[in-house]
């Protein structure tokens, strides 16, 4: 008899990490992906993945510092259960990065300092290939090259229901592109991503965000499939508005924006409103967003759109060159001079040069600024600039899991045969996710889900 396979739903990093782990236990995997292409939102990730402490970090860091930052950013006392999830995440961050580096051969030696982090800890490669693409394509290639052929990827297959017998998940039903419905048996790992692109779910859970543009393509949420088998949802109103999406000068009213990754600020970029800085650019996303949205939107574009300038000096450009060259080619940023920005920025930028050189403290309390090579700026000094506005980006809420990635019922008991990992889950990030912690949760909880599901199969639990 062929060994029992596991079913993984979603080909983003959470699903791929789970699949990879299942294969290490010799468990065959059927991975179902509704899109024609693989990678979900994970493939778009452009800043990197958190890990602490790792040998690649420029400043000595610790698990505890990362844990503390995550708790502070979550901004909510979620009780012991949720604290355990944060501990799982931060206890396993260094090993998650090592897994990608050592097991998968991915180079992740460039480390950026993102908002809300005490130290730089967001890893990407030096090659300039965006980290989401690099990580997803490498892990996927590794799965496809499995010499035993244990990996069965089925794209354009949309899971339409989760099957349950006697309070136990026993498989899924999915629909193929031609409309045919297929029933598949096996334990299930749900890694179907968030609902930041699902207009109906956003309108239901966070109507205050109507009128904001988004970084996420419109697509329906898959959480109703989980609630149908009794999953408990948590924190559904906690939707992350990322402070910086690019306003395309050619199409300023587009509701879909390219993300201006946080790494651009982490590597030295500053934000200007009417020519002045107004916030520590490395505060958490919710705080930077609040600082922007506390003023009136800039008419007459979208109901919720602002006109903020993201400015990089030459050394910041050099550190982020491959990304910025792409934004330059798309017309989302331009190479400019300080004079081109208007009369005010010269003084502002002169002031920030002293902060970046650590000659003066920052009035907004920006810590460990990356140094700028720009020193005595003149109106002719070169800067790189783009217009940015807050964008709906990520959903902190979702299906509640425990530290073993089991999806929990309303009464907090695990649903047998069902695990969750990645953005589909809720509770890990509280009210605000730190940049770089999403790819991290995909790896950490994806791998845990894979291990747990393999154990479940090996223990014979699937045998009727
Ligand atoms: C532009 C952008 C940049 C980002 N940058 C970073 C970053 O630098 N660092 C970071 O940590 N995070 C970043 N994030 C967030 C991060 O990329 C995602 O939150 C995370 O990768 C989600 O991974 P996932 O595996 O949970 O879901 P996804 O990668 O979204 O994958 C879910 C997959 O499930 C599929 N699916 C859904 N429903 C079904 C169904 N019913 N049947 C079959 N398949 C289904 C979807 O089609 C999708 O392919 C970024 C996000 C965006 C949008
Ligand atoms: C983390 O927070 C605890 C409790 O506030 C504190 O005692 C500890 O020193 C902090 N550790 C670090 C590394 O910041
Ligand atoms: C940026 O890189 C270019 C090309 O390598 C180099 O000539 C220039 O001096 C660098 N500029 C700064 C400010 O680091």
């Amino acid at each position: 008899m062929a060994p029992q396979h596991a079913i993984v739903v979603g080909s983003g990093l959470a699903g791929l990490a789970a699949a990879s782990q299942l294969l290490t236990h010799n468990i065959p995997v059927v991975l179902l992906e509704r899109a024609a292409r693989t990678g979900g939102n994970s493939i778009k990730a452009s800043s990197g993945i958190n890990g602490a402490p790792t040998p690649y970090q420029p400043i000595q860091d610790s698990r505890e510092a990362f844990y503390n930052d995550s708790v502070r950013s979550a901004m909510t006392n979620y009780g012991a259960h949720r604290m355990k999830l944060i501990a799982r995440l931060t206890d396993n961050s260094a090993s998650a990065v090592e897994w990608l580096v050592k097991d998968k051969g991915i180079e992740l030696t460039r480390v950026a300092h993102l908002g809300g982090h005490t130290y730089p800890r967001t890893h990407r490669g030096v090659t300039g290939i965006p980290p989401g693409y690099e990580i997803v394509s490498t892990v996927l290639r590794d799965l496809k090259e499995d010499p035993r052929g244990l990996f069965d990827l089925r794209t354009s297959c949309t899971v339409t229901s989760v099957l349950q017998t006697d309070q136990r998940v026993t498989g899924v039903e999915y629909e193929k592109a031609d409309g045919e419905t297929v029933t598949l048996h096996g334990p299930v790992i749900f890694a179907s991503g968030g609902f930041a692109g699902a207009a109906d779910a956003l309108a239901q859970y966070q109507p205050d965000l109507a009128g904001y543009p988004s970084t996420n393509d419109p697509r329906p949420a898959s959480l109703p499939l989980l609630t149908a088998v009794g999953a408990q949802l948590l924190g559904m109103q906690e939707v992350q508005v990322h402070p910086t999406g690019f306003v395309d000068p050619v199409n300023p009213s587009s509701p879909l924006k390219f993300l201006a990754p946080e790494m651009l600020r982490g590597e030295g970029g500053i934000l200007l409103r009417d020519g002045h800085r107004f916030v520590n650019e490395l505060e958490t996303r919710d705080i930077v967003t609040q600082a922007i949205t506390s003023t009136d939107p800039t008419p007459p574009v979208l109901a919720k759109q602002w006109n903020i300038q993201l400015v990089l000096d030459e050394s910041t450009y050099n550190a982020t060159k491959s990304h910025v060259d792409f934004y330059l080619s798309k017309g989302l940023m331009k190479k400019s001079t300080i004079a081109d920005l208007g009369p005010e920025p010269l003084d502002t930028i002169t002031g920030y040069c002293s902060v970046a050189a650590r000659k003066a403290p920052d009035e907004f309390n920006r810590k460990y600024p990356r140094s700028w090579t720009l020193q005595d700026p003149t109106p002719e000094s070169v800067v790189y600039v783009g217009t940015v506005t807050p964008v709906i980006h990520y959903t902190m809420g979702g299906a509640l899991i425990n530290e073993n990635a089991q999806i929990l019922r309303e009464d907090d008991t695990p649903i047998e045969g069902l695990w969750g990992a990645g953005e589909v889950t809720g509770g890990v990030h509280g009210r605000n996710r730190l940049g770089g912690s999403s790819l991290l949760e995909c790896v950490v909880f994806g791998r845990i889900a894979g291990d747990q599901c393999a154990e479940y199969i090996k223990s014979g639990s699937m045998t009727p």
Side-chain angles (χ1 to χ4, degrees):
M1 198 178 90
Q4 171 67 53
H5 60 237
I7 300 167
V8 177
V9 183
S11 68
L13 183 56
L16 298 178
S20 181
Q21 206 61 22
L22 284 157
L23 292 198
T24 66
H25 297 283
N26 304 312
I27 303 291
V29 175
V30 179
L31 193 148
L32 301 170
E33 168 55 57
R34 73 176 165 195
R37 66 165 187 86
T38 48
N41 276 325
S42 302
I43 208 163
K44 298 190 191 173
S46 39
S47 287
I49 178 166
N50 295 334
T54 75
Y56 319 110
Q57 291 180 272
I59 301 174
Q60 178 65 46
D61 196 0
S62 66
R63 291 172 185 216
E64 188 178 287
F66 184 21
Y67 175 84
N68 282 5
D69 286 345
S70 300
V71 171
R72 171 182 174 264
S73 170
M75 278 187 313
T76 170
N77 184 356
Y78 262 158
H81 176 89
R82 260 48 68 80
M83 302 310 253
K84 274 197 233 163
L85 293 179
I86 299 180
R88 261 293 147 102
L89 185 79
T90 51
D91 282 351
N92 288 289
S93 75
S95 59
V97 169
E98 282 308 291
W99 181 70
L100 292 171
V101 172
K102 300 241 164 78
D103 275 45
K104 303 297 168 191
I106 301 167
E107 175 267 314
L108 290 171
T109 56
R110 177 87 205 176
V111 183
H113 191 177
L114 302 195
H117 292 279
T118 302
Y119 303 108
R121 54 170 80 104
T122 308
H123 297 62
R124 68 183 199 278
V126 289
T127 58
I129 299 170
Y133 180 83
E134 176 83 8
I135 292 171
V136 163
S137 54
T138 308
V139 178
L140 184 61
R141 191 183 330 119
D142 197 47
L143 290 166
K144 285 180 174 169
E145 286 172 357
D146 180 68
R148 302 155 298 176
L150 294 183
F151 182 62
D152 178 356
L153 172 65
R154 303 184 191 171
T155 51
S156 302
C157 289
T158 305
V159 171
T160 50
S161 72
V162 177
L163 307 174
Q164 202 176 22
T165 315
D166 297 334
Q167 304 276 8
R168 188 174 73 154
V169 166
T170 54
V172 297
E173 211 164 72
Y174 69 89
E175 198 175 291
K176 302 206 299 188
D178 61 10
E180 188 195 338
T181 299
V182 180
T183 301
L184 190 64
H185 289 288
V188 179
I189 297 176
F190 234 80
S192 58
F195 61 92
D200 51 345
L202 286 174
Q204 178 186 352
Y205 293 109
Q206 194 34 289
D208 291 354
L209 294 182
Y212 276 89
S214 173
T215 54
N216 296 40
D217 294 303
R219 43 155 89 132
S222 288
L223 281 169
L225 307 182
L226 293 176
T227 49
V229 292
Q232 176 182 167
L233 301 184
L234 178 90
M236 294 297 283
Q237 71 288 355
E238 309 298 352
V239 175
Q240 182 162 74
V241 178
H242 191 294
T244 60
F246 282 118
V247 177
D248 184 347
V250 175
N251 188 8
S253 59
S254 170
L256 191 61
K257 308 286 193 214
F258 258 99
L259 183 70
E262 193 163 333
M263 177 263 297
L264 298 177
R265 281 173 282 138
E267 294 283 3
I270 58 172
L271 297 176
L272 305 184
R273 176 169 58 209
D274 302 328
H276 299 278
R277 286 180 67 227
F278 55 95
V279 68
N280 169 7
E281 292 85 354
L282 292 191
E283 255 302 352
T284 52
R285 291 174 177 180
D286 58 307
I287 291 177
V288 179
T289 296
Q290 250 167 41
I292 296 173
T293 59
S294 62
T295 61
D296 288 334
T298 314
V301 197
L302 296 174
K304 299 287 185 180
Q305 186 153 306
W306 285 259
N307 208 343
I308 304 297
Q309 284 176 313
L310 170 66
V311 180
L312 317 183
D313 86 323
E314 185 97 39
S315 55
T316 306
Y317 165 71
N318 275 5
T320 55
K321 188 173 184 312
S322 53
H323 287 71
V324 175
D325 283 346
F326 175 74
Y327 308 131
L328 292 169
S329 76
K330 290 266 171 196
L332 299 171
M333 291 190 82
K334 67 177 188 188
K335 185 175 180 177
S336 210
T337 62
I338 294 178
D340 278 344
L341 305 184
E344 313 270 1
L346 183 58
D347 277 355
T348 305
I349 290 173
T350 304
Y352 187 71
C353 287
S354 312
V355 172
R358 306 192 190 174
K359 286 180 190 151
D362 180 22
E363 60 177 310
F364 300 105
N365 204 24
R366 183 165 170 165
K367 298 263 174 58
Y368 304 117
R370 287 266 196 225
S371 68
W372 276 19
T373 40
L374 182 60
Q375 282 310 315
D376 300 301
T378 65
E380 291 73 41
S381 300
V382 168
V383 286
Y384 295 79
V385 61
T387 302
V388 294
T389 192
V391 270
I392 294 173
H393 182 60
Y394 178 90
T395 47
M396 270 76 66
L400 179 60
I401 54 170
N402 62 16
E403 321 90 84
N404 292 329
Q406 291 177 290
I407 292 182
L408 304 183
R409 293 196 179 81
E410 290 292 346
D411 64 4
D412 288 350
T413 58
I415 302 177
E416 204 183 317
L418 182 65
W419 294 263
E423 197 175 340
V424 71
T425 67
V428 181
H429 308 292
R431 295 171 59 189
N432 183 69
R433 171 177 73 84
L434 287 172
S437 279
S438 177
L439 292 181
L440 174 62
E441 85 179 310
C442 290
V443 172
V444 170
F445 289 102
R447 294 186 68 209
I448 291 174
D451 283 338
Q452 297 289 320
C453 179
E455 203 171 291
Y456 181 75
I457 290 175
K458 287 185 168 171
S459 71
S461 301
M462 282 306 291
T463 330

